[in-house]
Amino acid sequence: MPEAASMPGTSRPGTSRPGTPSPGAAAEASLRPVPAFGGLAASSPDGRLVVREREGLGLATVTARRGRGGDLAEVLRASRGLVLRPGPTVSRAGDLALVGTGPETWFAVGAGGGWRFSRALAATLAGLAAVADQSSGYGVLRLSGPAVRAVLAKGVPVDLHPSAFAAGDAAVTLAGHVGIVLWRAEDRADGEEAFDVAVFRSYAESFRHWLFASAAEFGLADGPAPGPGTAGAVSRPA
Amino acid sequence: MRDVQSHRLDAAGLVDRARPLGFRFDGRAYEGFLGDTLASALLANGVRLVGRSFKYHRPRGIVTAGPEEPNALVALREGARREPNSKATAVELFDGLSARSQNRWPSLAFDAGAVNGLLAPLLVAGFYYKTFKWPSGFWERVYEPAIRRAAGLGRSSGLPDPDSYEGAYAFCDLLVIGAGPAGLAAALAAGRAGARVILCEEDFALGGRLLCERDAVDGRPAAAWAARAVAELATLPGVTLMARTAVFGAYDGGTFGAVEKVSDHLAVPDPGRPRQRLWRIAARRSVLAAGAIERPLVFPGNDRPGVMMAAASRSYVNRFGVLPGRRVAVLTATDDGWRAAFDLAERGARIEAVIDPRPAGPPALEERARRLGARLLRGGRVAGTHGRLGLTGVTVAAAGGRTERLPVDLLVMSGGYNPNLALTTHLGARPAWSEEIAAFVPGGLPPGMSVAGAARGTLSLGAALREGHAAGREAAEACGLGGCAGEAPRADDEAAGLAASWPVAGARKAFVDFQHDVTVADVALAHREGFRSVELLKRYTTLGMATDQGKLSNLNGHALMAGLLGRPIPEVGTTAARAPTVPVAIGALAGHARGRHFKPTRLTAGHALAAERGATFVEAGQWLRPQWFAAPGEADWLATVTREVRAVREAVGICDVSTLGKIDVQGPDAGAFLDRVYVNGFSGLPVGRARYGVMLREDGFVLDDGTAARLAPDHFVVSTTTANAARVMKHLTYCAQVLWPEADVQLASVTEAWAQYAVAGPRARRLLEALLGAAADVSDAALPFMGAREFEWAGVPVRLFRLSFSGELAYEIAVPAAYGDALGRALLAAGAFLGVAPYGSEALGVLRIEKGHVAGNEISGTTTAGDLGLGRLMSRKKDFVGRALAGRPGLVDPDRLRLVGLRPLDPAGRLSGGAHLLAPGAAATTANDLGYVTSAAFSPSLGRWIALALLRRGPERIGEHLRAVDLLRGTDVPVEVCPPVFVDPEGVRLHA
Amino acid sequence: MRYSLLSLAANALRGHAGWRPAWRDAAPKAAYDAVVVGGGGHGLATAYYLARNHGLADVAVLEKGWIGSGNAGRNTTIIRSNYLLPGNSAFYELSMRLWEGLEADLNYNAMVSQRGVLNLFHSDAQRDAAVRRGNAMRLEGIDAELLSADEVRRALPFLNFDDARFPIRGGLRQRRGGTARHDAVVWGYARAASERGVDIVQNCEVTGILRDPAGAVAGVETSRGTIRAGKVGVAVAGHSSRVAAMAGLRLPIESHVLQAFVSEAIKPLLDTVVTFGAGHFYISQSDKGGLVFGGDIDGYNSYAQRGNLPTVEDVCEGGMALMPALGRVRVLRSWGGIMDMSMDGSPIIDATPVPGLFLNAGWCYGGFKATPASGHCFARLIATGTPEPAAAAYRLDRFLRGATIDEKGQGAQANLH
Amino acid sequence: MRIACPFCGSRDLREFSFLGDAGAAGAGLPGAGPGAGPGAGAEAGADAGPGAGPDADAGARAEAVYLRDNPAGRHRGLWYHEAGCRSWLAVTRDTRTHAIFAVELAREGAR
């Protein structure tokens, strides 16, 4: 209990006003998702760093059942045309990417689908892997531009030089005190390097502060937090 | 009105005379140039008195031209940006710089503290150990405050540092430390071969001694060659040049710490830029090319302003275009020192004398000196110096002993060179002694490091360049890069010839450690009293513990001790060097993590909603949780919490419980796995059901508690407490990977993936019915207590558990966290007609205390399941983590403290956490201590304060009267011991 | 030679030529009644109290390097008795009482400075724990007081109150706590022990423990030859496992490195000892002006007297979070000591299964403040074979019995204590 | 210090946490694998008393849990790549020099 307070007052549970159900909360309402970074999009004035949240992704952790990694790879190849590369790398096929995050463990990224993505993946991998939906668990930012490595170097203790971290390479690591999953994305159309960073949702604001502080010298301005606001209110189906 | 630069040369040097910079020292305005240090600018203006010494407050001037400076310490900048103890020799001049002298009162020229000098006979090394012991209590009140006031140098502003700092990581094939001749050559060789090279230089200019000496490299003036080398390095794609960056520590695995002074050369940092940046550099190889530091000579009065190192005098005249003195005496035990006479004379100084204690030396030097009109005193010495606040003369003694006073304003000295080898010893290697240069040189080296140039004891320029080149080439080759390293640069192999000139006992007021006022006599006293190991010498006299870290003083002190012991210097040894090699701002080492960003802040998906509803937030580990939601008119938090608790007990409340840990446990062995990590069984749990479980540590004490629900035969979701979420995940990972690697079980933390609200109170079911409609049947039959369901509602997957922490009819409803905000709003909207109230962690705490549920205050790491009344959960039919050690006698001792409830005998009595329990009439002693209050709360349901407590033989004492005694707050409350469940002990509400 | 202002003045007149070594640098004899292994604070204090309290002066202290070269000279000089558990609080309070009389007893100014120790708390749960601890202290007769956040602010206005990630909600203060000059404690005990006839033998490393045919201790093998003794006390914290292994013993101890730091000397800023409750950080200011601070151990077992950067950064982050003015104060030196991290965070002062071999070990971070009581209790154990009541809980078999003394509740993981 | 994680590659010390001597892992446990374990169907007996009774084996197990060789030299310890791939690693390292000789996944080199 906090330290000091008067003896309890005599206030009654004043909010207790029984009545009738509110029609606005009808069961058939649909819920609007709030992206982890609130749909963050920012750029330094000269384009040296561009930050954009990748919204609506399907995300899942995939862990092979004991001894079934080979079967899992085979099923992915057969069903999705995805050739699973070993180690901390990204394996891609179409809209599906599997980021190697640990032995026999992947961070699966689908270009869309949200929470439904993991359902489909789990069905594909039934008996071969544990699949856990993480589409809400992480926010994913795409960072790109000529300053991107200089900014990441301020918190990521991994060598991201192209000679050490090539296209398709991935790392589970830190950005400052925040854990991240990081992978080299396809280079931008102008040839500049791009990285995807997945951050646990609850850390989004702290990561965002670190990112903007670290990129301030490149002109990425820190504005008001575009965190969850009223955007998530219940809305009726259109 | 600014002073003219009286000692600035018209030409010469690398300062930019077109860029004048105004600055102030002790309030007086001066002018210097871009490229100056504060020290060179002060000298240019004829300022010689710069500071006062630590103990005797003796006047002190500028001795060196680098970061080894012991004397010229100033307070830099004003206000919250004040930086005490800044070395004027390492401060880059900027326009508007302001500096003040330190450790003096009322003024630098007249310092009352100088009275200490008169007391010097009493204030010898370690004097304080022998006195100030009497009378008792005087130490803290009288002696110590006086000593403390006198000690210290500069003053901290005490204000929050307004500038920012940051860290950064860098990786390279080769780290070159020092951009002097050897470092430039190494970087060129490796860079040309294609290596990723980082070249760090502490100075703002690259070139090291090349900028300060009148040498030639590859036929060019040294400084011009350095400029060309730097220009070439800048074109090499793999090379990163880092000026103003000091490598301060070598750590394991080829990791180095370095601090970059990003903005210290500016009045204030540019927007978005930090003041300093901490680099952690991981290097496959490293070349230490940090040069060497010239050693002072120890003679009477060697600390007077106007006595300067010979190499420093050349830096001032050659690099900064400043003549540090007009009438000069040179005291040198090296051929190298003679160069100062020639360089200073070249720029107009009159050389009065060259005193060289060596009996003979190269005739060419003597001939050249004679042509300058200087007197030569071979085998001579300096017997004393004169001048109250600055040098006005020296008394020299010729070989025969005849003394003579010479009028000089500058005395330069050269006692040989100490290689800058500290980084070689950070991982434990010890230096080796070199008779050739009479100094310690690198012995062992950290893995992957090589040393080149003066840092290795190589004191000729040509050899340093060759060594640097070779080291760079070899490093590139070791990294598999065989590209062309080019040719080694060429320069003269002029020898620096020297003879050891060690201080001897007996000289008066001859200083070994300038800043700490350690004299020859102090070292002798330490020897006399048995402090003869160099480490004991250091600790007893404080030799080498000043801000210059003994860079100038250590070897002279150790040599003196060696002489007193009659043993060779290498046998006496040297003290261990440890990081940092230069003092490093604490702000730089902390970087971004300060203030509100000291640790990350974790926010739930319901945070914005809670904020809108007026929540007060509280830290729960890294999370922020709503503590309560104050309503208008409520007198204080207790009124608020009381209302929230009543809402739950009488209507319905919702509480964001997303911070609880959630671990997905899948696989054919998931049930068997949980049987092993929980004290109770889970493999028999039906699908669609949840169970409360307790985990133990291997030592048998409770680790955590929570529920696990079975969603499918091979799929559980385990919940943990907020505080232990990471620890439990780590523990389960350990169990799965290390203890039972053969188990087919897969773990994933899904804490972040789900937003979860508790919906609690007699109207909870009605709220859910209103919310979910036909999507789910929440009747008692369909979802009984401890039931768990998954279904889709409103387009999202839902997990609905019938769990209760409050003891009321209650549920926990979870949706993917992206929909958490919407769920919270939907719950409030759907429940408005029921009087739903959001409640915070405080009400949650009250509710659980009323129900006797244990939490962090009870699961403290020292309680057993039995202590907490959970012993009956411990299965006897299976083994589990902690079972064996839970059976140790100490853990099953009936005398242990066990969980009970307490209520004050006086209904108005108030209880507080941390009070101890005593029997009525018992004295307040440890022997009578029966236990303590773990958690206390005002119970709105009972209308009185209640508490949980851990009490010796607690359950046996139910009904007894005791006292809850809080000696800190002065309360003594008679209480009755009762069962820990205060509300609805039969669980009727729970099963409603 | 007695130390006093008078003797100092008298010597000053003679150019300080009259001083004698503070202790005799003895060569080892062939045999002693008792040998103490380890010339740190604990070993020297043990020898002193053996001579002073038990009349046992035929004692040698064997030090492998120079006296005080281990943790005695590598700590942050804090003294306090603000312990929670009965097994600890009585012992550390005995130590505090001995500190309070130490200088008169030793005729040596060890600069015992009772400037107070303030432990900050940052949450209601931490406050409850602080109150519990404070009350436990008061029950033991130890001074303790609870400070509100406002009271802390009045005392230490330069702490971070306005922009803190974990706001300061108050503190628990022990006024009698404070600091002492660590090296002087070593020298004071050495001088006093030496005056009572104890041989202090430096550069003498123990390489083996001699046993008689019955298995009892008969002496030690050293780098300076065999030394026979019927009683051997081991006080080599940091290296206890290595010496115990010479007698075939395994200990509930892991060796870990703890780093500490001192800043450049500045004028008085901080007049007490402060412990940050929301990070691993504690700080005080030495009489010379340096801010002395430290934090957590590096976390991996080690015998190298040095640590790594992550811990350096972690400590400095704590410092900046607590005292934002530290940004422009510079770290001057760092060092690492090897801690005997015991499995419950509390020490061991006990006889061992080897007759005649006694063990003083497992001090974790607590060794310096314990110096006087450790020596006092260990001397009694060695001399009489029975433990001092204040140290009776520090038994070697407590882990097997389940009678651990776990102040932090971390369990059997050495690096968490 | 840098540790070469078999999965992630060479990583900075700050990503790892140390547990203790690899030899002490699971010392307090019976050592049976899940297949042989009495896991299935094991429920707390309704008649179970307050806590387990003294265990005859407790002393021996406690010794294994608490006592350490604590060598100055080569040592095999368990580390957790907490901020990386979350693998438990067995790291063979010299405790005097911090030189690392071998790093393996604990799962593969388990007892």
Side-chain angles (χ1 to χ4, degrees), chain B residues 553-570:
Chain B
S553 59
N554 271 352
L555 188 52
N556 278 333
H558 301 163
L560 193 53
M561 179 59 81
L564 290 162
L565 291 170
R567 288 158 59 193
I569 294 171

Side-chain angles (χ1 to χ4, degrees), chain B residues 912-917 931-934 964-966 969 971, chain C residues 131-132 135:
Chain B
S912 56
H916 282 241
L917 301 174
Y932 65 100
V933 175
T934 57
V965 178
D966 188 340
R969 297 186 176 106
T971 61
Chain C
V131 171
R132 179 191 168 200
N135 276 309

Side-chain angles (χ1 to χ4, degrees), chain C residues 8-155:
Chain C
L8 187 67
N11 264 284
L13 295 176
R14 287 178 282 136
H16 295 284
W19 296 112
R20 291 285 157 268
W23 69 88
R24 283 181 301 110
D25 192 18
K29 296 192 295 182
Y32 293 90
D33 288 347
V35 159
V36 177
V37 185
H42 289 226
L44 292 165
T46 301
Y48 170 70
Y49 291 114
L50 277 172
R52 178 186 181 275
N53 295 353
H54 304 283
L56 203 61
D58 185 27
V59 172
V61 176
L62 308 181
E63 166 54 48
K64 71 174 174 180
W66 37 277
I67 61 167
S69 56
N71 294 333
R74 292 167 182 273
N75 55 77
T76 45
T77 79
I78 296 167
I79 60 172
R80 58 183 175 88
S81 57
N82 54 357
Y83 279 77
L84 169 67
L85 300 175
N88 279 329
S89 52
F91 174 82
Y92 283 100
E93 178 59 10
L94 169 65
S95 210
M96 184 56 75
R97 300 233 162 98
L98 290 168
W99 282 119
E100 287 171 334
L102 190 72
E103 290 155 344
D105 192 14
L106 299 182
N107 178 234
Y108 203 86
N109 184 1
M111 301 188 181
V112 173
S113 171
Q114 292 184 288
R115 56 181 70 180
V117 171
L118 177 63
N119 288 3
L120 300 175
F121 50 77
H122 309 263
S123 71
D124 293 340
Q126 283 188 345
R127 194 198 56 237
D128 287 352
V131 171
R132 179 191 168 200
R133 172 188 302 258
N135 276 309
M137 290 163 64
R138 295 280 287 269
L139 291 173
E140 189 59 44
I142 304 167
D143 69 305
E145 53 191 304
L146 189 67
L147 268 59
S148 69
D150 286 343
E151 287 168 321
V152 173
R153 187 171 196 150
R154 278 198 291 278

Side-chain angles (χ1 to χ4, degrees), chain A residues 109-200:
Chain A
V109 183
W115 60 269
R116 289 186 175 85
F117 165 77
S118 68
R119 300 273 174 106
L121 194 60
T124 304
L125 300 177
L128 301 177
V131 178
D133 176 32
Q134 298 283 8
S135 52
S136 275
Y138 292 84
V140 180
L141 296 181
R142 169 73 50 89
L143 310 179
S144 64
V148 65
R149 273 195 280 123
V151 171
L152 288 173
K154 296 185 185 186
V156 179
V158 172
D159 187 359
L160 300 179
H161 189 272
S163 65
F165 199 83
D169 278 353
V172 185
T173 182
L174 294 165
H177 287 319
V178 175
I180 59 170
V181 183
L182 172 76
W183 63 94
R184 270 282 293 274
E186 310 268 339
D187 285 350
R188 246 167 38 182
D190 62 2
E192 292 297 341
E193 288 171 37
F195 292 83
D196 281 349
V197 184
V199 181
F200 270 139

Side-chain angles (χ1 to χ4, degrees), chain B residues 121 140 528 579 888 926 967, chain C residues 16 113-114 135 140 331 334 399:
Chain B
E140 285 86 350
R528 201 171 300 133
R888 287 177 290 165
T926 304
L967 297 164
Chain C
H16 295 284
S113 171
Q114 292 184 288
N135 276 309
E140 189 59 44
V331 177
S334 69
F399 303 92

